[in-house]
């Protein structure tokens, strides 16, 4: 599956996982999305704090669904920060 991460940055992804962001205190504070590239490297992103948890979770799920269905997706417009 191909993901456009930035203008001119297209990477081949073998898997994607959406998970709640928990800093260890048991309180969910956001949404994290993890990519495993076909070369084994990992890229981890969290959605901006300005995006409500419910919305960020749904955006991440919609992104993964689109990626799975189409085999490619544009991640450049997602309000995320790389970990």
């Amino acid at each position: 599956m191909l993901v456009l991460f930035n203008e001119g940055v297209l990477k081949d992804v073998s898997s994607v996982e959406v998970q709640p962001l928990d800093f260890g205190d048991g309180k969910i504070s956001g949404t994290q999305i993890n990519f495993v590239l076909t070369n084994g490297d990992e890229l981890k992103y969290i959605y901006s704090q300005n995006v409500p948890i419910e919305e960020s979770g749904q955006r991440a799920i919609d992104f993964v669904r689109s990626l799975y269905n189409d085999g490619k997706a544009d991640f450049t417009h997602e309000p995320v920060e790389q970990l």
Side-chain angles (χ1 to χ4, degrees):
M1 298 177 287
L2 296 174
V3 176
L4 181 65
F5 285 97
N6 285 310
E7 293 302 319
V9 180
L10 185 66
K11 298 201 180 257
D12 196 6
V13 173
S14 62
S15 69
V16 184
E17 178 183 22
V18 174
Q19 64 185 70
L21 182 62
D22 179 359
F23 290 110
D25 60 0
K27 181 181 174 201
I28 309 248
S29 55
T31 302
Q32 182 173 335
I33 186 165
N34 304 322
F35 296 91
V36 177
L37 306 180
T38 55
N39 68 4
D41 290 347
E42 294 183 11
L43 297 174
K44 297 181 180 190
Y45 293 87
I46 57 171
Y47 277 81
S48 172
Q49 292 177 339
N50 298 333
V51 179
I53 293 173
E54 297 82 12
E55 181 183 338
S56 66
Q58 189 61 53
R59 286 182 72 121
I61 289 168
D62 290 345
F63 174 82
V64 171
R65 183 177 294 121
S66 174
L67 176 62
Y68 174 75
N69 287 334
D70 300 337
K72 61 185 181 206
D74 185 347
F75 197 60
T76 61
H77 302 294
E78 294 299 309
V80 295
E81 300 169 14
Q82 188 171 7
L83 291 178

